[in-house]
Amino acid sequence: MKPAAAITLALLLATSAGHGVAWAADATRLEALESAWRSGVLTKDEYEAKRRALLAATPKPAAAKPSAAATGKPAYQRMRVVRVMDAEGWGEPVEVFRFLVPSDWKSEGGVRWISNPGCPSNIIQLRFRATAPDGITGVEFLPSYTWAAAEDPQMQQILQQNAQAQTGCQPGPAVGAVDFLRGMVVPQIRPGARIVAAEPMQSATQTLRRSFAPINQQYAAAGIEAQRTGDVGRVRLALDVGGRPAEEWITASVVANISVGLNSAAMLQGDYNAKSRNFQLTGQDIQAMRAPKGELDARAPLFAQILASVQINPQYVGAVSRFYQAIGQVQNRENANRSRMWREAQQSIEQSRQEVAAYQRQSQDRIREQFGQALRGVETYTDPRTNERVELSAGWKNAWTNGKGEYVVSDSPLFDPAVALQEDWRAMRRGGER
């Protein structure tokens, strides 16, 4: 410790042993300690030792403990890392993505691979949920779905024939996100639920469409009559869960790849200039957030924190991309060597990292529009045991880890999880410092 700093800190801590010291004064001393640590005056070990000494010497009247009722926010929040795994596709279990949930929530699900030779885009199916002890509150990630559509009636018949022969995706309507949720998702996964609101998400849609600018420019430069576009929307449901009333938001995006061809019906009439559009559509990023009736809006900060913490594994993105490229190039799709693709994806992931980063930006914009002021963003912290970087919800003053994939955040300078929880918790460094 620097000599001048030692004198200053000694003065700050000198009166902490007396039982008449006010909690507000101790808070000031703790903040001074933290400031000294973050500025490099104190080492981490010195900071933690002095902090514990101050907390141990301070009387802790019950009235002084921050409460959720008084602050509108819990004194602390305990979260754990959940890893969503694909145990079927690569010869070994691999991580798809990870995110944070409250430590007492249960989680289940993962990625499954199903046989779908006609529409390979639907082979990989994600379904994962995390649920609170009340059995209602929770988040769910639902599988994407790809289908085909056409304006030309004759092409519609061809699409139907291809689907029956398992050489193409199932046909359906060319719709956007809200109608996809209303007509294709809710009836399938929430039968009996009542849609009480449905709305497009304009800002998220603009971000999604901007991401398609490069490929649309390539189409134009090559003279190809094609376009990629999409939109984002959500629906709000009223439903029963185990006989108890609940509410739920479900959001999704629909991406449409549009190609332009000749209109066969018009050609039969001698018009060889009429055009019609063909569509390949994918409903994706389908996420549900549920709470007991009357509590959905109040849970928005928690849902925002959970969704903002999602971190996608770029190696998985790269492996999936290689898989789809391979099955597009071989007649026998079973010949695709997935184990080899996984190894190659581990060796070369820069492109995948870029794709993940772009997706994360789109996701953050979507969450921001969904939850508004409830989204506080994320901050990067470093685990002092492993040097692993972790993104936690922004807006908390302090964060700790127990080295077991659990994290505690708190605003109170008087809160110490090692004391309150009687466990081994260590303070994390903000900003990803090493």
Side-chain angles (χ1 to χ4, degrees):
M1 184 192 303
K2 299 176 183 178
I7 295 172
T8 302
L9 287 170
L11 291 172
L12 282 170
L13 299 174
T15 59
S16 65
H19 285 261
V21 177
W23 277 68
D26 287 331
T28 300
R29 296 184 182 97
L30 285 166
E31 289 176 355
L33 270 176
E34 181 178 355
S35 177
W37 169 48
R38 296 194 182 283
S39 63
V41 173
L42 290 178
T43 67
K44 176 175 159 298
D45 290 340
E46 289 173 333
Y47 162 73
E48 289 185 347
K50 292 184 178 298
R51 188 173 187 277
R52 290 181 187 279
L54 177 57
L55 289 169
T58 303
K60 299 173 176 57
K65 187 176 180 179
S67 68
T71 64
K73 180 175 165 184
Y76 71 94
Q77 193 168 75
R78 183 170 181 166
M79 309 288 284
R80 68 181 176 92
V81 173
V82 171
R83 290 173 172 82
V84 180
M85 305 298 291
D86 180 345
E88 298 185 6
W90 310 101
E92 60 179 295
V94 298
E95 181 178 318
V96 182
F97 63 92
R98 65 179 66 180
F99 64 105
L100 294 171
V101 299
S103 290
D104 58 354
W105 283 27
K106 295 181 179 180
S107 60
E108 59 181 337
V111 168
R112 294 191 58 208
W113 291 60
I114 65 173
S115 176
N116 196 329
C119 193
S121 298
N122 290 331
I123 289 175
I124 302 175
Q125 298 282 298
L126 163 68
R127 188 152 192 172
F128 192 91
R129 70 177 64 171
T131 310
D134 66 10
I136 297 179
T137 304
V139 298
E140 187 172 0
F141 299 88
L142 297 159
S144 61
Y145 178 68
T146 297
W147 72 102
E151 292 178 331
D152 183 349
Q154 186 168 341
M155 181 56 69
Q156 292 173 6
Q157 294 179 10
I158 293 174
L159 292 177
Q160 186 66 51
Q161 293 168 0
N162 289 344
Q164 292 175 352
Q166 295 190 341
T167 58
C169 298
Q170 289 290 332
V175 296
V178 169
D179 288 332
F180 167 67
L181 287 167
R182 183 186 283 137
M184 302 173 72
V185 174
V186 174
Q188 182 71 25
I189 68 166
R190 298 291 189 266
R194 180 168 58 91
I195 298 176
V196 297
E199 57 191 44
M201 300 174 68
Q202 300 292 352
S203 177
T205 294
Q206 292 173 8
T207 302
L208 179 66
R209 290 177 178 173
R210 281 196 297 269
S211 71
F212 300 145
I215 192 167
N216 287 331
Q217 290 169 1
Q218 293 175 20
Y219 288 151
I224 300 173
E225 291 188 274
Q227 180 189 18
R228 182 174 297 175
T229 187
D231 73 327
V232 185
R234 64 178 182 171
V235 294
R236 184 167 182 150
L237 308 180
L239 67 163
D240 287 334
V241 178
R244 294 176 290 170
E247 296 175 296
E248 185 173 44
W249 278 114
I250 303 181
T251 65
S253 59
V254 168
V255 174
N257 290 291
I258 306 171
S259 61
V260 179
L262 295 175
N263 187 304
S264 58
M267 290 175 62
L268 294 175
Q269 303 297 321
D271 184 355
Y272 293 91
N273 295 316
K275 302 290 182 68
S276 66
R277 295 179 298 172
N278 302 312
F279 304 83
Q280 184 183 54
L281 304 108
T282 300
Q284 60 190 33
D285 301 326
I286 309 170
Q287 300 165 353
M289 296 132 278
R290 189 167 66 195
K293 182 178 180 180
E295 299 180 24
L296 185 60
D297 294 333
R299 303 289 172 90
L302 176 60
F303 293 142
Q305 179 178 354
I306 291 171
L307 295 179
S309 72
V310 170
Q311 298 182 53
I312 301 170
N313 181 3
Q315 294 177 357
Y316 188 81
V317 172
V320 169
S321 178
R322 289 173 183 268
F323 169 74
Y324 282 129
Q325 290 173 7
I327 62 176
Q329 296 170 357
V330 296
Q331 286 288 347
N332 183 1
R333 296 184 173 94
E334 295 303 318
N335 287 336
N337 188 325
R338 298 185 210 157
S339 296
R340 174 179 52 79
M341 293 173 196
W342 177 250
R343 291 193 299 270
E344 291 174 352
Q346 290 177 302
Q347 295 167 1
S348 177
I349 63 172
E350 184 56 36
Q351 179 64 34
S352 300
R353 290 189 190 280
Q354 295 174 6
E355 293 174 1
V356 168
Y359 175 83
Q360 297 282 146
R361 289 192 294 271
Q362 297 169 26
S363 178
Q364 289 295 317
D365 190 76
R366 171 173 162 176
I367 298 168
R368 189 174 297 108
E369 183 172 359
Q370 168 86 349
F371 296 107
Q373 295 302 315
L375 177 62
R376 296 191 252 152
V378 294
E379 288 183 307
T380 301
Y381 289 81
T382 300
D383 186 325
R385 291 180 174 88
T386 65
N387 273 341
E388 181 181 10
R389 296 183 181 185
V390 180
E391 289 188 342
L392 302 176
S393 179
W396 299 92
K397 292 183 179 179
N398 301 292
W400 299 262
T401 176
N402 62 3
K404 302 175 182 178
E406 287 189 294
Y407 306 93
V408 165
V409 289
S410 176
D411 275 342
S412 172
L414 299 172
F415 177 78
D416 185 344
V419 175
L421 305 176
Q422 294 297 298
E423 298 171 353
D424 181 16
W425 292 88
R426 298 187 187 179
M428 302 179 70
R429 299 186 294 275
R430 183 183 280 110
E433 306 161 1
R434 293 190 182 276

